[in-house]
Amino acid sequence: MSPCADFLRPLVLSGPSGVGKSTLLQRLLFEYPDKFGFGVSHTTREPRPGEVHGKQYYFVNRQKFQELIDEGAFIEHAEYSGNHYGTSFKTVQEVRQEGKRCILDIDAQGIRQIKRTSLNPVYLFISPPSFLILRDRLQERATESDMSLQKRLRAALNELKFAAEPNVHDIIIVNDDFEQAYLKFKNVALGERIVGDTLPPLADQLIS
């Protein structure tokens, strides 16, 4: 059976921190270990304990990262907390050559850059039911300082504002019920066309 047409296109996954992207991805990769490949990014930050070069990230110094920028190697790149991160065309090609679909976890800034390239991915946004529910989820983690939490919330608000702009994403999935959200996510990842959800109006998300 030949794959669906959209399966051959990279899948750009986005959504604010705490919305459940990692959990959805982990379940998908566990259920279909041979169908998908995760785009490994380059970064200038130091490896954390247990991280392996070429698995979690390609760890490079600033000079090498700048050389890759100059060569036009990156689909998108950005700086966070003093470290640089970038997704290369090469890593997407490597996944495709293995006969797998490449999944990229990209934020709003990166999506703006990707839209100026010839990558032609499917853009999928995972939305919380509301901003306040997302805030509660992040607070329940109890793993961050107040300053770090506020930073994540500001970034989340920016992601939601960007997602509300016309024609940014091809499909939106609201992660209200995880099982239902995963079924939709799995179908999209497998290249099927689905009827996505409607993004909750931002004003409603802030006051609900």
Side-chain angles (χ1 to χ4, degrees):
M1 180 178 177
S2 60
C4 299
D6 281 349
F7 186 83
L8 303 177
R9 299 166 63 191
L11 178 63
V12 169
L13 177 67
S14 63
S17 177
V19 80
K21 298 191 304 293
S22 296
T23 307
L24 290 167
L25 265 175
Q26 288 170 5
R27 182 163 172 181
L28 180 75
L29 296 177
F30 178 79
E31 187 173 354
Y32 299 97
D34 301 322
K35 280 187 174 292
F36 302 98
F38 196 66
V40 180
S41 299
H42 288 70
T43 183
T44 58
R45 78 160 171 80
E46 293 295 319
R48 294 170 183 159
E51 289 185 330
V52 178
H53 178 77
K55 186 174 182 181
Q56 284 79 20
Y57 286 98
Y58 292 109
F59 297 98
V60 297
N61 59 32
R62 288 177 177 272
Q63 180 180 345
K64 178 61 176 176
F65 196 94
Q66 186 59 52
E67 289 174 359
L68 291 169
I69 292 176
D70 294 341
E71 294 168 5
F74 290 127
I75 300 167
E76 58 84 30
H77 62 88
E79 182 179 355
Y80 301 100
S81 303
N83 295 306
H84 295 273
Y85 297 82
T87 305
S88 71
F89 287 97
K90 183 178 179 182
T91 190
V92 175
Q93 292 167 354
E94 288 173 346
V95 173
R96 185 178 294 168
Q97 287 169 358
E98 293 175 357
K100 299 178 180 180
R101 186 176 200 182
C102 185
I103 299 178
L104 302 170
D105 185 355
I106 305 291
D107 68 359
Q109 182 179 351
I111 288 175
R112 288 186 178 95
Q113 295 179 51
I114 291 175
K115 285 181 176 289
R116 296 195 293 266
T117 73
S118 59
L119 188 66
N120 189 33
V122 173
Y123 295 94
L124 170 62
F125 185 78
I126 307 297
S127 171
S130 75
F131 182 75
L132 295 187
I133 289 176
L134 179 67
R135 183 195 65 186
D136 292 343
R137 289 178 183 173
L138 289 171
Q139 288 176 332
E140 288 169 3
R141 288 181 176 180
T143 58
E144 303 186 57
S145 66
D146 287 342
M147 184 178 296
S148 176
L149 176 61
Q150 291 305 314
K151 185 176 180 180
R152 284 192 182 275
L153 289 173
R154 286 194 297 272
L157 188 56
N158 288 334
E159 290 282 334
L160 291 166
K161 287 179 177 177
F162 180 59
E165 294 179 13
N167 304 316
V168 169
H169 300 286
D170 297 309
I171 304 164
I172 292 169
I173 296 174
V174 176
N175 190 5
D176 190 4
D177 178 284
F178 179 78
E179 292 300 326
Q180 292 183 13
Y182 175 70
L183 181 60
K184 293 176 183 178
F185 173 63
K186 177 175 69 172
N187 289 340
V188 172
L190 291 172
E192 298 177 17
R193 300 290 177 90
I194 72 163
V195 176
D197 299 321
T198 300
L199 187 71
L202 191 57
D204 293 349
Q205 294 195 43
L206 292 173
I207 64 176
S208 62

